[in-house]
mmCIF file of all heavy atoms in Angstrom:
data_model
loop_
_atom_site.group_PDB
_atom_site.id
_atom_site.type_symbol
_atom_site.label_atom_id
_atom_site.label_comp_id
_atom_site.label_asym_id
_atom_site.label_seq_id
_atom_site.Cartn_x
_atom_site.Cartn_y
_atom_site.Cartn_z
ATOM 1 N N SER A 558 22.152 -37.538 -8.423
ATOM 2 C CA SER A 558 21.787 -37.236 -7.034
ATOM 3 C C SER A 558 20.678 -38.136 -6.493
ATOM 4 O O SER A 558 20.489 -38.212 -5.272
ATOM 5 C CB SER A 558 21.368 -35.776 -6.913
ATOM 6 O OG SER A 558 20.274 -35.500 -7.765
ATOM 7 N N VAL A 559 19.953 -38.821 -7.375
ATOM 8 C CA VAL A 559 18.840 -39.657 -6.912
ATOM 9 C C VAL A 559 19.008 -41.130 -7.267
ATOM 10 O O VAL A 559 18.184 -41.958 -6.866
ATOM 11 C CB VAL A 559 17.487 -39.156 -7.475
ATOM 12 C CG1 VAL A 559 17.288 -37.677 -7.157
ATOM 13 C CG2 VAL A 559 17.356 -39.425 -8.963
ATOM 14 N N LYS A 560 20.071 -41.472 -7.977
ATOM 15 C CA LYS A 560 20.292 -42.871 -8.365
ATOM 16 C C LYS A 560 20.376 -43.757 -7.135
ATOM 17 O O LYS A 560 21.056 -43.433 -6.165
ATOM 18 C CB LYS A 560 21.595 -42.983 -9.178
ATOM 19 C CG LYS A 560 21.414 -42.723 -10.647
ATOM 20 C CD LYS A 560 22.720 -42.873 -11.402
ATOM 21 C CE LYS A 560 22.534 -42.473 -12.854
ATOM 22 N NZ LYS A 560 23.817 -42.450 -13.597
ATOM 23 N N GLY A 561 19.670 -44.879 -7.197
ATOM 24 C CA GLY A 561 19.670 -45.817 -6.085
ATOM 25 C C GLY A 561 18.626 -45.504 -5.026
ATOM 26 O O GLY A 561 18.375 -46.323 -4.143
ATOM 27 N N ARG A 562 18.020 -44.311 -5.108
ATOM 28 C CA ARG A 562 17.003 -43.927 -4.122
ATOM 29 C C ARG A 562 15.626 -43.759 -4.760
ATOM 30 O O ARG A 562 14.610 -44.049 -4.133
ATOM 31 C CB ARG A 562 17.400 -42.611 -3.438
ATOM 32 C CG ARG A 562 18.715 -42.676 -2.682
ATOM 33 C CD ARG A 562 18.929 -41.394 -1.857
ATOM 34 N NE ARG A 562 19.015 -40.201 -2.685
ATOM 35 C CZ ARG A 562 18.225 -39.133 -2.538
ATOM 36 N NH1 ARG A 562 17.291 -39.131 -1.611
ATOM 37 N NH2 ARG A 562 18.389 -38.071 -3.315
ATOM 38 N N PHE A 563 15.601 -43.272 -6.001
ATOM 39 C CA PHE A 563 14.331 -43.016 -6.679
ATOM 40 C C PHE A 563 14.125 -44.040 -7.797
ATOM 41 O O PHE A 563 15.089 -44.487 -8.433
ATOM 42 C CB PHE A 563 14.334 -41.617 -7.306
ATOM 43 C CG PHE A 563 14.285 -40.472 -6.342
ATOM 44 C CD1 PHE A 563 14.486 -40.643 -4.975
ATOM 45 C CD2 PHE A 563 14.045 -39.186 -6.802
ATOM 46 C CE1 PHE A 563 14.440 -39.577 -4.089
ATOM 47 C CE2 PHE A 563 13.998 -38.104 -5.932
ATOM 48 C CZ PHE A 563 14.203 -38.304 -4.581
ATOM 49 N N THR A 564 12.852 -44.380 -8.032
ATOM 50 C CA THR A 564 12.507 -45.297 -9.123
ATOM 51 C C THR A 564 11.315 -44.742 -9.883
ATOM 52 O O THR A 564 10.280 -44.430 -9.277
ATOM 53 C CB THR A 564 12.161 -46.687 -8.585
ATOM 54 O OG1 THR A 564 13.265 -47.206 -7.831
ATOM 55 C CG2 THR A 564 11.847 -47.641 -9.734
ATOM 56 N N ILE A 565 11.461 -44.641 -11.194
ATOM 57 C CA ILE A 565 10.365 -44.180 -12.044
ATOM 58 C C ILE A 565 9.719 -45.388 -12.718
ATOM 59 O O ILE A 565 10.403 -46.350 -13.090
ATOM 60 C CB ILE A 565 10.861 -43.153 -13.087
ATOM 61 C CG1 ILE A 565 9.688 -42.514 -13.818
ATOM 62 C CG2 ILE A 565 11.866 -43.774 -14.058
ATOM 63 C CD1 ILE A 565 10.074 -41.321 -14.697
ATOM 64 N N SER A 566 8.392 -45.337 -12.855
ATOM 65 C CA SER A 566 7.664 -46.407 -13.525
ATOM 66 C C SER A 566 6.460 -45.806 -14.236
ATOM 67 O O SER A 566 6.059 -44.674 -13.941
ATOM 68 C CB SER A 566 7.225 -47.479 -12.520
ATOM 69 O OG SER A 566 6.360 -46.923 -11.547
ATOM 70 N N ARG A 567 5.879 -46.566 -15.153
ATOM 71 C CA ARG A 567 4.709 -46.073 -15.872
ATOM 72 C C ARG A 567 3.754 -47.225 -16.155
ATOM 73 O O ARG A 567 4.156 -48.392 -16.234
ATOM 74 C CB ARG A 567 5.121 -45.387 -17.177
ATOM 75 C CG ARG A 567 5.680 -46.314 -18.247
ATOM 76 C CD ARG A 567 6.173 -45.518 -19.452
ATOM 77 N NE ARG A 567 5.081 -44.857 -20.158
ATOM 78 C CZ ARG A 567 5.260 -43.825 -20.994
ATOM 79 N NH1 ARG A 567 6.472 -43.344 -21.214
ATOM 80 N NH2 ARG A 567 4.218 -43.293 -21.604
ATOM 81 N N ASP A 568 2.488 -46.860 -16.337
ATOM 82 C CA ASP A 568 1.450 -47.817 -16.700
ATOM 83 C C ASP A 568 0.715 -47.224 -17.892
ATOM 84 O O ASP A 568 -0.116 -46.321 -17.726
ATOM 85 C CB ASP A 568 0.506 -48.043 -15.518
ATOM 86 C CG ASP A 568 -0.526 -49.111 -15.797
ATOM 87 O OD1 ASP A 568 -0.777 -49.421 -16.978
ATOM 88 O OD2 ASP A 568 -1.097 -49.651 -14.836
ATOM 89 N N ASN A 569 1.011 -47.734 -19.083
ATOM 90 C CA ASN A 569 0.405 -47.173 -20.295
ATOM 91 C C ASN A 569 -1.080 -47.486 -20.402
ATOM 92 O O ASN A 569 -1.813 -46.788 -21.108
ATOM 93 C CB ASN A 569 1.144 -47.682 -21.531
ATOM 94 C CG ASN A 569 2.490 -46.990 -21.722
ATOM 95 O OD1 ASN A 569 2.808 -46.013 -21.037
ATOM 96 N ND2 ASN A 569 3.295 -47.498 -22.638
ATOM 97 N N ALA A 570 -1.524 -48.525 -19.720
ATOM 98 C CA ALA A 570 -2.957 -48.849 -19.740
ATOM 99 C C ALA A 570 -3.757 -47.870 -18.891
ATOM 100 O O ALA A 570 -4.951 -47.655 -19.125
ATOM 101 C CB ALA A 570 -3.178 -50.265 -19.234
ATOM 102 N N ASP A 571 -3.058 -47.266 -17.939
ATOM 103 C CA ASP A 571 -3.697 -46.373 -16.975
ATOM 104 C C ASP A 571 -3.356 -44.897 -17.189
ATOM 105 O O ASP A 571 -3.876 -44.035 -16.472
ATOM 106 C CB ASP A 571 -3.180 -46.760 -15.586
ATOM 107 C CG ASP A 571 -4.289 -46.832 -14.579
ATOM 108 O OD1 ASP A 571 -5.464 -46.690 -14.973
ATOM 109 O OD2 ASP A 571 -3.969 -47.014 -13.391
ATOM 110 N N ASN A 572 -2.475 -44.644 -18.139
ATOM 111 C CA ASN A 572 -1.995 -43.273 -18.394
ATOM 112 C C ASN A 572 -1.383 -42.634 -17.150
ATOM 113 O O ASN A 572 -1.658 -41.455 -16.838
ATOM 114 C CB ASN A 572 -3.140 -42.370 -18.900
ATOM 115 C CG ASN A 572 -3.440 -42.583 -20.365
ATOM 116 O OD1 ASN A 572 -3.030 -43.576 -20.951
ATOM 117 N ND2 ASN A 572 -4.169 -41.648 -20.968
ATOM 118 N N THR A 573 -0.573 -43.400 -16.436
ATOM 119 C CA THR A 573 0.040 -42.869 -15.228
ATOM 120 C C THR A 573 1.547 -43.117 -15.206
ATOM 121 O O THR A 573 2.044 -44.073 -15.806
ATOM 122 C CB THR A 573 -0.558 -43.493 -13.954
ATOM 123 O OG1 THR A 573 -0.458 -44.914 -14.045
ATOM 124 C CG2 THR A 573 -2.008 -43.086 -13.770
ATOM 125 N N VAL A 574 2.244 -42.240 -14.530
ATOM 126 C CA VAL A 574 3.674 -42.402 -14.276
ATOM 127 C C VAL A 574 3.908 -42.104 -12.800
ATOM 128 O O VAL A 574 3.235 -41.241 -12.214
ATOM 129 C CB VAL A 574 4.522 -41.480 -15.190
ATOM 130 C CG1 VAL A 574 4.195 -40.018 -14.969
ATOM 131 C CG2 VAL A 574 5.999 -41.743 -14.995
ATOM 132 N N HIS A 575 4.817 -42.858 -12.210
ATOM 133 C CA HIS A 575 5.048 -42.758 -10.777
ATOM 134 C C HIS A 575 6.524 -42.515 -10.488
ATOM 135 O O HIS A 575 7.390 -42.906 -11.268
ATOM 136 C CB HIS A 575 4.613 -44.048 -10.080
ATOM 137 C CG HIS A 575 3.227 -44.471 -10.414
ATOM 138 N ND1 HIS A 575 2.118 -43.881 -9.850
ATOM 139 C CD2 HIS A 575 2.767 -45.411 -11.275
ATOM 140 C CE1 HIS A 575 1.035 -44.450 -10.338
ATOM 141 N NE2 HIS A 575 1.401 -45.380 -11.211
ATOM 142 N N LEU A 576 6.774 -41.887 -9.354
ATOM 143 C CA LEU A 576 8.146 -41.716 -8.880
ATOM 144 C C LEU A 576 8.190 -42.158 -7.420
ATOM 145 O O LEU A 576 7.632 -41.486 -6.546
ATOM 146 C CB LEU A 576 8.599 -40.260 -9.008
ATOM 147 C CG LEU A 576 10.062 -40.005 -8.645
ATOM 148 C CD1 LEU A 576 10.986 -40.656 -9.669
ATOM 149 C CD2 LEU A 576 10.359 -38.512 -8.550
ATOM 150 N N GLN A 577 8.797 -43.294 -7.175
ATOM 151 C CA GLN A 577 8.986 -43.793 -5.814
ATOM 152 C C GLN A 577 10.270 -43.198 -5.271
ATOM 153 O O GLN A 577 11.343 -43.405 -5.839
ATOM 154 C CB GLN A 577 9.065 -45.315 -5.805
ATOM 155 C CG GLN A 577 9.305 -45.919 -4.431
ATOM 156 C CD GLN A 577 8.155 -45.685 -3.472
ATOM 157 O OE1 GLN A 577 6.993 -45.801 -3.856
ATOM 158 N NE2 GLN A 577 8.471 -45.346 -2.230
ATOM 159 N N MET A 578 10.158 -42.452 -4.178
ATOM 160 C CA MET A 578 11.310 -41.769 -3.601
ATOM 161 C C MET A 578 11.596 -42.348 -2.220
ATOM 162 O O MET A 578 10.753 -42.250 -1.316
ATOM 163 C CB MET A 578 11.039 -40.263 -3.509
ATOM 164 C CG MET A 578 10.639 -39.645 -4.839
ATOM 165 S SD MET A 578 10.495 -37.847 -4.759
ATOM 166 C CE MET A 578 9.075 -37.677 -3.687
ATOM 167 N N ASN A 579 12.740 -42.957 -2.069
ATOM 168 C CA ASN A 579 13.152 -43.547 -0.794
ATOM 169 C C ASN A 579 14.350 -42.788 -0.229
ATOM 170 O O ASN A 579 15.041 -42.074 -0.956
ATOM 171 C CB ASN A 579 13.506 -45.020 -0.984
ATOM 172 C CG ASN A 579 12.332 -45.850 -1.463
ATOM 173 O OD1 ASN A 579 11.179 -45.558 -1.159
ATOM 174 N ND2 ASN A 579 12.639 -46.893 -2.217
ATOM 175 N N SER A 580 14.583 -42.993 1.048
ATOM 176 C CA SER A 580 15.733 -42.373 1.721
ATOM 177 C C SER A 580 15.817 -40.885 1.406
ATOM 178 O O SER A 580 16.881 -40.361 1.033
ATOM 179 C CB SER A 580 17.030 -43.076 1.301
ATOM 180 O OG SER A 580 16.974 -44.454 1.575
ATOM 181 N N LEU A 581 14.718 -40.201 1.578
ATOM 182 C CA LEU A 581 14.667 -38.784 1.223
ATOM 183 C C LEU A 581 15.596 -37.952 2.092
ATOM 184 O O LEU A 581 15.797 -38.238 3.286
ATOM 185 C CB LEU A 581 13.233 -38.277 1.312
ATOM 186 C CG LEU A 581 12.344 -38.685 0.134
ATOM 187 C CD1 LEU A 581 10.879 -38.560 0.470
ATOM 188 C CD2 LEU A 581 12.688 -37.824 -1.091
ATOM 189 N N LYS A 582 16.150 -36.920 1.467
ATOM 190 C CA LYS A 582 17.083 -36.014 2.136
ATOM 191 C C LYS A 582 16.521 -34.595 2.086
ATOM 192 O O LYS A 582 15.722 -34.272 1.192
ATOM 193 C CB LYS A 582 18.429 -36.040 1.410
ATOM 194 C CG LYS A 582 19.057 -37.408 1.272
ATOM 195 C CD LYS A 582 20.327 -37.340 0.450
ATOM 196 C CE LYS A 582 20.955 -38.717 0.274
ATOM 197 N NZ LYS A 582 22.196 -38.653 -0.546
ATOM 198 N N PRO A 583 16.961 -33.727 2.981
ATOM 199 C CA PRO A 583 16.498 -32.326 2.941
ATOM 200 C C PRO A 583 16.752 -31.669 1.578
ATOM 201 O O PRO A 583 15.942 -30.851 1.136
ATOM 202 C CB PRO A 583 17.307 -31.659 4.051
ATOM 203 C CG PRO A 583 17.567 -32.762 5.032
ATOM 204 C CD PRO A 583 17.786 -33.995 4.184
ATOM 205 N N GLU A 584 17.828 -32.041 0.913
ATOM 206 C CA GLU A 584 18.127 -31.446 -0.391
ATOM 207 C C GLU A 584 17.203 -31.927 -1.504
ATOM 208 O O GLU A 584 17.264 -31.426 -2.630
ATOM 209 C CB GLU A 584 19.590 -31.714 -0.795
ATOM 210 C CG GLU A 584 20.028 -33.148 -0.670
ATOM 211 C CD GLU A 584 20.760 -33.442 0.640
ATOM 212 O OE1 GLU A 584 20.288 -32.976 1.713
ATOM 213 O OE2 GLU A 584 21.789 -34.156 0.574
ATOM 214 N N ASP A 585 16.317 -32.872 -1.200
ATOM 215 C CA ASP A 585 15.298 -33.278 -2.161
ATOM 216 C C ASP A 585 14.082 -32.354 -2.122
ATOM 217 O O ASP A 585 13.175 -32.488 -2.942
ATOM 218 C CB ASP A 585 14.834 -34.723 -1.882
ATOM 219 C CG ASP A 585 15.934 -35.745 -2.118
ATOM 220 O OD1 ASP A 585 16.668 -35.610 -3.117
ATOM 221 O OD2 ASP A 585 16.054 -36.660 -1.284
ATOM 222 N N THR A 586 14.062 -31.441 -1.179
ATOM 223 C CA THR A 586 12.958 -30.487 -1.068
ATOM 224 C C THR A 586 12.860 -29.627 -2.322
ATOM 225 O O THR A 586 13.841 -28.994 -2.725
ATOM 226 C CB THR A 586 13.151 -29.587 0.166
ATOM 227 O OG1 THR A 586 13.049 -30.387 1.342
ATOM 228 C CG2 THR A 586 12.100 -28.484 0.205
ATOM 229 N N ALA A 587 11.685 -29.640 -2.945
ATOM 230 C CA ALA A 587 11.489 -28.899 -4.205
ATOM 231 C C ALA A 587 10.044 -29.071 -4.652
ATOM 232 O O ALA A 587 9.303 -29.890 -4.094
ATOM 233 C CB ALA A 587 12.427 -29.424 -5.288
ATOM 234 N N VAL A 588 9.665 -28.306 -5.659
ATOM 235 C CA VAL A 588 8.434 -28.587 -6.390
ATOM 236 C C VAL A 588 8.779 -29.592 -7.479
ATOM 237 O O VAL A 588 9.717 -29.367 -8.255
ATOM 238 C CB VAL A 588 7.835 -27.308 -6.997
ATOM 239 C CG1 VAL A 588 6.592 -27.652 -7.816
ATOM 240 C CG2 VAL A 588 7.501 -26.299 -5.905
ATOM 241 N N TYR A 589 8.045 -30.677 -7.523
ATOM 242 C CA TYR A 589 8.296 -31.737 -8.502
ATOM 243 C C TYR A 589 7.278 -31.641 -9.637
ATOM 244 O O TYR A 589 6.068 -31.571 -9.386
ATOM 245 C CB TYR A 589 8.216 -33.107 -7.827
ATOM 246 C CG TYR A 589 9.453 -33.424 -7.031
ATOM 247 C CD1 TYR A 589 9.733 -32.748 -5.837
ATOM 248 C CD2 TYR A 589 10.375 -34.369 -7.479
ATOM 249 C CE1 TYR A 589 10.891 -33.015 -5.121
ATOM 250 C CE2 TYR A 589 11.527 -34.653 -6.769
ATOM 251 C CZ TYR A 589 11.782 -33.967 -5.596
ATOM 252 O OH TYR A 589 12.925 -34.232 -4.878
ATOM 253 N N TYR A 590 7.783 -31.661 -10.866
ATOM 254 C CA TYR A 590 6.954 -31.515 -12.050
ATOM 255 C C TYR A 590 6.980 -32.774 -12.901
ATOM 256 O O TYR A 590 8.053 -33.321 -13.167
ATOM 257 C CB TYR A 590 7.453 -30.344 -12.899
ATOM 258 C CG TYR A 590 7.358 -29.006 -12.240
ATOM 259 C CD1 TYR A 590 8.408 -28.501 -11.489
ATOM 260 C CD2 TYR A 590 6.205 -28.233 -12.370
ATOM 261 C CE1 TYR A 590 8.330 -27.258 -10.884
ATOM 262 C CE2 TYR A 590 6.118 -26.983 -11.760
ATOM 263 C CZ TYR A 590 7.179 -26.518 -11.018
ATOM 264 O OH TYR A 590 7.082 -25.286 -10.415
ATOM 265 N N CYS A 591 5.806 -33.181 -13.319
ATOM 266 C CA CYS A 591 5.674 -34.255 -14.295
ATOM 267 C C CYS A 591 5.848 -33.649 -15.691
ATOM 268 O O CYS A 591 5.395 -32.523 -15.940
ATOM 269 C CB CYS A 591 4.290 -34.880 -14.148
ATOM 270 S SG CYS A 591 3.932 -36.243 -15.261
ATOM 271 N N ALA A 592 6.493 -34.381 -16.592
ATOM 272 C CA ALA A 592 6.782 -33.842 -17.916
ATOM 273 C C ALA A 592 6.577 -34.901 -18.990
ATOM 274 O O ALA A 592 6.864 -36.084 -18.756
ATOM 275 C CB ALA A 592 8.225 -33.345 -17.970
ATOM 276 N N ALA A 593 6.110 -34.464 -20.157
ATOM 277 C CA ALA A 593 5.886 -35.370 -21.284
ATOM 278 C C ALA A 593 6.632 -34.849 -22.509
ATOM 279 O O ALA A 593 6.515 -33.674 -22.853
ATOM 280 C CB ALA A 593 4.402 -35.486 -21.586
#
């Protein structure tokens, strides 16, 4: 459902992970959780 619109990336030096979300749709409405 998100292929081609969302991109995940990480920076191990910074201990961060990101989710770039483009072309958002109403059905993307939700609580988003980071997971390890």
Side-chain angles (χ1 to χ4, degrees):
S558 59
V559 306
K560 274 181 185 173
R562 299 189 298 124
F563 290 12
T564 302
I565 189 170
S566 61
R567 69 185 293 161
D568 185 340
N569 284 351
D571 225 6
N572 281 16
T573 55
V574 60
H575 308 282
L576 185 68
Q577 178 65 42
M578 305 186 293
N579 298 330
S580 303
L581 283 161
K582 304 176 181 179
E584 49 263 44
D585 294 318
T586 294
V588 177
Y589 283 71
Y590 296 91
C591 181

